Amino acid sequence: MAQGNFADGYPTKAQPVLPPESVLFGRSRGMQTLLQKAERVALVDVPVLIYGESGTGKEVLAKFIHQRSPRASAPFVKVNCPAIPAALLESELFGYEKGAFTGALGSKPGRVELAQGGTLFLDEISELELSLQAKLLQVLQDGKFCRIGGQEERHVDLRLLCATHQRLEDRIAAGAFREDLFYRINVVGLRVPPLRERLADIPAIVDYLLAAYNDRYNGKAKPLSRRILERFQAYSWPGNIRQLENLIKRYVVLGSEDAIWSELGPQPPSWPPEASRPGSIPLKGMAREAAREFERKVILEVLQAHHWNRKKAAQALNISYRSLLYKLRKATEPPAGNPAP
Ligand SMILES: Nc1ncnc2c1ncn2[C@@H]1O[C@H](COP(=O)(O)OP(=O)(O)OP(=O)(O)O)[C@@H](O)[C@H]1O
Ligand SMILES: [Mg+2]
């Protein structure tokens, strides 16, 4: 597969790591149709609008299209529109000249310029302000723009890919998105289906993610049980592949399927434990369970906040690394008298 230059904003020499095509697109009919369209559209220099729910893989698809395009060896520059404060977005996108505003001590190119020859990926384009939509429209019409505070008209040659999880038609109706820009960016629209429409692809995605995160976290997590894979294929996945990915990360770090069951809705049949069913109220045990559950929740949140780096999480929790490992082991042991499903 061709390689390109990728960065979360700025071009670098770092190589992209995309799942292999068989995992990325899987076997479901919807994804196979998407693969055919994506391969065809990659070769043609037209703007593409990628839409779909959060976490479905819109960014991964944008990178795939760039990799398969004649621009693959030029930069892929991403701009996450809602992540950049509105006041800064114009200078991030279009750059500025020295003295353009207080604090502009030098000049700086924007991301539009950095994408020269390559692909500009505007993520969550629906969040772009109307004034910036007008400036972007001009770039799309004739490739021309000015840096903030600059007189010189600059020219850029790029391919625009946009993504949105919101219906742009609704934003147009609300007066928040320009209709003319919509038609410019939506020459081809690609819908990425939600995970619940491609449940059969889950085992292959799980295998891939498990190997990837075992590798990244130096983990030795075993393949998941058939029972949990079946549950995965009967689940609705509101957070799509991102949610699945987080579950697998958690499984690799905590080393137990118990850590994932709780997120999948109704507990397996052995839950709740015999002793806590109506008729008997074992207060001591319940308090211990509640404390254990609370500790598990806090540990998970801190691990997540530190990108699953256990050393940093231990520091943040003000406990030793060994003590964190011990707590993780304990947190994932099945409760007494209630074997793991
Ligand atoms: N087919 C796949 N196999 C394995 N991992 C995948 C696949 N598709 C996406 N991912 C992973 O799932 C996560 C979500 O993908 P991505 O960021 O592309 O989705 P998105 O639609 O842009 O999400 P959001 O709307 O939240 O920005 C990423 O970490 C990505 O690497
Ligand atoms: Mg995204």
Side-chain angles (χ1 to χ4, degrees), residues 5 34 48 63 84 101 125 137 180 212 223 285 289 293 302 314 325:
N5 297 334
L34 181 62
V48 177
K63 288 176 177 172
I84 302 173
F101 45 81
I125 178 108
L137 187 64
D180 47 3
E289 258 318 294
E293 192 48 44
V302 173
L325 293 187

Side-chain angles (χ1 to χ4, degrees), residues 19 23-25 31 52-61 121 123-124 163 165 198 205 208-209 213 241-242 245:
V23 176
L24 225 172
F25 292 96
M31 288 305 285
E53 292 177 14
S54 269
T56 44
K58 297 187 291 297
E59 183 171 340
V60 168
L61 180 66
F121 174 51
D123 202 2
E124 296 308 341
H165 78 275
R198 45 179 305 212
I205 297 176
Y208 168 79
L209 291 172
Y213 285 104
I241 301 189
R242 191 181 297 288
E245 186 178 36

Side-chain angles (χ1 to χ4, degrees), residues 197-217:
E197 284 180 21
R198 45 179 305 212
L199 293 170
D201 291 338
I202 286 182
I205 297 176
V206 166
D207 281 352
Y208 168 79
L209 291 172
L210 196 55
Y213 285 104
N214 263 333
D215 196 44
R216 182 170 321 167
Y217 299 140

Side-chain angles (χ1 to χ4, degrees), residues 249-324:
K249 278 187 206 171
R250 195 178 307 162
Y251 171 62
V252 169
V253 174
L254 301 180
S256 156
E257 283 184 8
D258 286 8
I260 6 188
W261 274 107
S262 57
E263 192 169 323
L264 301 173
Q267 293 290 352
S270 57
W271 203 268
E274 275 306 316
S276 66
R277 290 203 180 123
S280 69
I281 308 171
L283 192 58
K284 239 186 184 169
M286 280 164 61
R288 213 174 28 238
E289 258 318 294
R292 200 171 97 126
E293 192 48 44
F294 183 67
E295 186 172 280
R296 177 164 37 193
K297 232 180 119 197
V298 171
I299 290 175
L300 272 178
E301 275 167 17
V302 173
L303 273 168
Q304 232 154 12
H306 289 85
H307 306 288
W308 304 92
N309 181 322
R310 287 175 285 192
K311 284 217 171 79
K312 285 191 184 151
Q315 276 166 8
L317 289 162
N318 208 9
I319 55 175
S320 70
Y321 180 63
R322 282 186 59 176
S323 153
L324 175 66

